[in-house]
């Protein structure tokens, strides 16, 4: 009987250990911030879906959908790198408060114009440019804040993973509700919800403790362009960051643009409506939440570059198969896989960069370079693929993106041995592994 009890106790302890909550969840500071942040992302995703659908309904043009996607994000390429320098100097709390208040004003304007019936593609482009400018400050500031919320540096990965998980949870819920609101009440309801969704995050920003970066005084004495140059040189010379950023840029240009092509795919290939769009976006977001859940619960901090490589291969294959399908049920399964691996790849890249970045004084600049891949490269991808879909069809444009994703994955895999040699000593120094034999 005694040995049996002992085995049962050991099994229970093992099960309890496997279900142990991530360390950062024990911090009220982290929880308050990321929950408020995820609510604001809920509204942002809903607005993005509503805008794309509205433009396609007004114009019936894939090219104009691409143009709107471009104008909404091209400011990121212009100003995001400079924003990184400023974030290393400015008070992050004030930056975040300002961006949320301006976002409320812009979403409120969209709501007002849509209800009055005065909304046009021109207005959407103008407001999109302004929203893109706000995002250029807002997204890097959020990413820089996460490592500064934790009291114990060892909990940094856990906090970043929770951040990714809750954002993807918002991404999962918003298409489902957004598609329903679009079909029953129109786009104005989505814009109104977006306006309200920033309020909980403002409350979180005011109540959380965000540590400031050290040595800010000396950094401010240096010219902005010199600081910017230092950030780019650091990111390029540090080979692991250089390679993952190359891969991120390729994915943002070739793959992430599929989000803007989905409404066209729904109309031309599946002959669907707003509810069909909502189903596909929800399936994609379900994959994203699975990816976020996996990253949040994995105990081993190391091994992220291997996850990046494997998920990029599956991402390319999933997009290729999705582009060839005409059946809604199969499309839902495939877009779920695409959403899962797309999120897994990009979130793992983000987590990897934040984890191995030891110099706090360069965190804002390197983070802004990473964010430029979303805000700067993505609009050119939207513009390119909008035109490509017009020329060769939306399904062939998606096929093109999937093929190039596979090519990028195989190039990245060839760089893994070189990255392991550099990253392993860093993990040893941080105490994450006992010896330099893992990545």
């Amino acid at each position: 009987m005694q040995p049996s009890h002992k085995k049962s106790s050991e099994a229970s302890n093992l099960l309890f250990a496997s279900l142990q909550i991530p360390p950062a969840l024990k911090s009220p500071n982290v929880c308050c911030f990321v929950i408020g942040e995820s609510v604001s992302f809920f509204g942002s995703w809903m607005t993005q879906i509503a805008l794309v659908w509205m433009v396609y309904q007004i114009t019936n043009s894939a090219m104009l959908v691409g143009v709107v996607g471009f104008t909404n994000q091209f400011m990121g390429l212009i100003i995001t790198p400079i924003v990184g320098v400023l974030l290393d100097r400015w008070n992050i709390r004030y930056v975040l408060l300002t961006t949320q208040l301006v976002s409320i004003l812009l979403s409120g304007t969209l709501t007002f114009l849509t209800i009055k019936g005065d909304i046009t593609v021109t207005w959407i482009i103008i407001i999109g440019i302004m929203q893109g400018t706000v995002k250029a400050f807002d997204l890097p500031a959020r990413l820089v804040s996460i490592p500064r919320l934790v009291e114990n540096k060892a909990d940094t990965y856990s906090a970043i993973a929770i951040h990714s998980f809750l954002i993807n949870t918002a991404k999962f819920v918003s298409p489902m509700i957004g598609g329903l609101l679009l079909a029953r009440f129109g786009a104005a309801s989505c814009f109104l919800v977006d306006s309200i969704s920033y309020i909980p995050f403002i409350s979180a920003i005011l109540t959380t403790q965000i540590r400031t970066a050290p040595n800010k005084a000396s950094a401010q004495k240096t010219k902005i362009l010199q600081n910017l140059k230092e950030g780019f040189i650091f990111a390029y010379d540090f080979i692991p960051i250089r390679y993952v950023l190359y891969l991120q840029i390729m994915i943002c240009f070739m793959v992430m643009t599929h989000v803007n092509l989905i409404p066209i795919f729904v109309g031309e290939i599946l002959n669907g409506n707003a509810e069909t769009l909502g189903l596909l976006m929800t399936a994609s977001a379900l994959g994203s939440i699975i990816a976020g859940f996996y990253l949040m619960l994995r105990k081993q901090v190391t091994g992220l570059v291997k996850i990046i490589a494997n998920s990029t291969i599956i991402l390319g294959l999933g997009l290729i198969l999705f582009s060839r399908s005409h059946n809604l049920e199969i499309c839902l399964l495939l877009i779920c896989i695409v959403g899962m691996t797309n999120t897994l790849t990009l979130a793992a890249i983000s987590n990897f960069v934040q984890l191995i970045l030891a110099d706090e004084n360069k965190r804002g600049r390197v983070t802004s370079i990473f964010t430029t891949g979303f805000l700067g490269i993505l609009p050119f991808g939207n513009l390119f693929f909008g035109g490509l879909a017009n020329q060769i069809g939306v399904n062939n444009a998606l096929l093109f993106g999937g093929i190039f994703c596979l090519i990028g994955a195989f190039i990245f895999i060839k760089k893994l041995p070189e990255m392991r040699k550099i990253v392993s000593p860093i993990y040893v120094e941080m105490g994450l592994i006992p010896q330099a034999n893992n990545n």
Side-chain angles (χ1 to χ4, degrees), residues 234-248 305 308 348-350 352-353 356-357 366 370 412 415-427 439:
F234 176 82
Y236 183 81
D237 287 345
F238 192 33
I239 288 175
I241 289 183
R242 186 205 305 175
Y243 289 156
V244 296
L245 287 179
Y246 282 166
L247 184 67
Q248 180 224 14
V305 290
I308 293 167
I349 289 174
S350 176
F352 176 73
V353 170
I356 65 174
L357 186 57
V366 175
F370 169 79
F412 182 77
K415 304 295 183 182
L416 288 183
E418 185 180 0
M419 293 178 64
R420 288 192 184 100
K421 290 179 183 177
I422 299 171
V423 172
S424 292
I426 297 174
Y427 285 160
N439 62 348

Side-chain angles (χ1 to χ4, degrees), residues 89 214-223 227 361:
R89 301 175 177 218
N215 302 322
K216 278 193 172 184
S218 61
Q220 290 181 7
K221 295 177 183 178
T222 312
K223 292 181 179 179
N227 282 159
N361 286 319

Side-chain angles (χ1 to χ4, degrees), residues 164-184:
S164 298
F165 172 72
L166 287 179
I167 287 174
N168 286 311
T169 300
K171 187 180 172 184
F172 166 68
V173 175
S174 58
M176 190 165 35
I177 299 177
L180 183 63
L181 290 176
L182 266 177
R184 297 194 177 182

Side-chain angles (χ1 to χ4, degrees), residues 47-57 65 68-69 259-264 277:
T47 288
Q48 182 177 336
I49 295 165
L51 279 177
V52 171
W53 182 255
M54 179 183 290
V55 171
Y56 189 62
Q57 290 298 303
V65 170
V68 169
V259 175
N260 269 21
L261 296 179
I262 285 181
I264 306 168
L277 174 65

Side-chain angles (χ1 to χ4, degrees), residues 112-401:
F112 176 74
L113 289 172
T114 306
I115 290 174
K116 280 193 67 180
D118 294 335
I119 193 72
T120 62
V121 174
T122 302
W123 270 117
I124 291 173
I125 289 174
I126 293 171
I127 294 174
I129 291 172
M130 297 173 71
Q131 286 178 327
T133 305
V134 173
K135 286 177 186 176
F137 285 87
D138 186 49
L139 294 182
R142 294 185 189 212
L143 287 171
V144 169
S145 299
I146 299 300
R148 297 178 184 173
L149 294 171
V150 296
E151 294 92 19
N152 185 358
K153 194 171 178 64
D155 295 340
T156 299
Y157 170 80
S158 176
I160 295 169
I162 293 167
H163 160 82
S164 298
F165 172 72
L166 287 179
I167 287 174
N168 286 311
T169 300
K171 187 180 172 184
F172 166 68
V173 175
S174 58
M176 190 165 35
I177 299 177
L180 183 63
L181 290 176
L182 266 177
R184 297 194 177 182
F185 304 107
S189 60
C190 296
F191 303 146
L192 178 62
V193 170
D194 185 24
S195 303
I196 298 170
S197 70
Y198 294 100
I199 296 174
F201 191 34
I202 290 175
S203 175
I205 294 166
L206 291 171
T207 55
T208 52
Q209 310 247 335
I210 305 174
R211 289 184 290 106
T212 56
N215 302 322
K216 278 193 172 184
S218 61
Q220 290 181 7
K221 295 177 183 178
T222 312
K223 292 181 179 179
I224 288 179
L225 290 179
Q226 179 63 28
N227 282 159
L228 182 60
K229 181 180 176 182
E230 288 174 1
F232 274 103
I233 290 173
F234 176 82
Y236 183 81
D237 287 345
F238 192 33
I239 288 175
I241 289 183
R242 186 205 305 175
Y243 289 156
V244 296
L245 287 179
Y246 282 166
L247 184 67
Q248 180 224 14
I249 289 170
M250 185 278 300
I251 291 173
C252 286
F253 188 90
M254 291 291 176
V255 180
M256 279 199 71
T257 47
H258 80 271
V259 175
N260 269 21
L261 296 179
I262 285 181
I264 306 168
F265 189 87
V266 167
E268 295 184 1
I269 307 299
L270 299 180
N271 297 317
N273 53 22
E275 291 185 1
T276 311
L277 174 65
L279 284 173
L280 280 174
M281 296 298 286
T282 300
S284 174
L286 175 60
S288 295
I289 198 174
I290 292 170
F293 196 67
Y294 166 73
L295 286 174
M296 184 179 71
L297 292 185
R298 70 186 295 269
K299 290 184 178 180
Q300 188 180 5
V301 177
T302 57
L304 286 171
V305 290
K306 189 174 181 181
I307 290 174
I308 293 167
N310 293 336
S311 62
T312 305
I313 292 174
I314 300 172
L315 174 59
L317 289 172
L319 194 59
I320 289 170
L321 293 174
F322 176 78
S323 71
R324 301 296 94 189
S325 177
H326 295 74
N327 180 274
L328 178 60
E329 287 76 17
I330 295 175
C331 284
L332 288 172
L333 174 62
L334 291 172
I335 203 65
C336 179
I337 294 171
V338 169
M340 178 180 67
T341 49
N342 184 54
T343 297
L344 186 59
T345 303
L346 294 177
I349 289 174
S350 176
N351 294 357
F352 176 73
V353 170
Q354 295 290 339
L355 183 66
I356 65 174
L357 186 57
D359 190 349
E360 276 295 326
N361 286 319
K362 290 187 177 68
R363 186 174 294 279
R365 280 166 279 178
V366 175
T367 301
S368 70
I369 293 169
F370 169 79
T371 310
T372 301
F374 291 102
L375 302 182
I377 304 301
L378 187 57
F380 287 98
N382 286 332
L383 192 62
F384 174 79
F385 276 91
L388 189 66
N390 255 357
Q391 296 297 318
I392 65 174
V394 65
N395 54 345
N396 291 325
L398 291 169
L399 174 66
F400 181 83

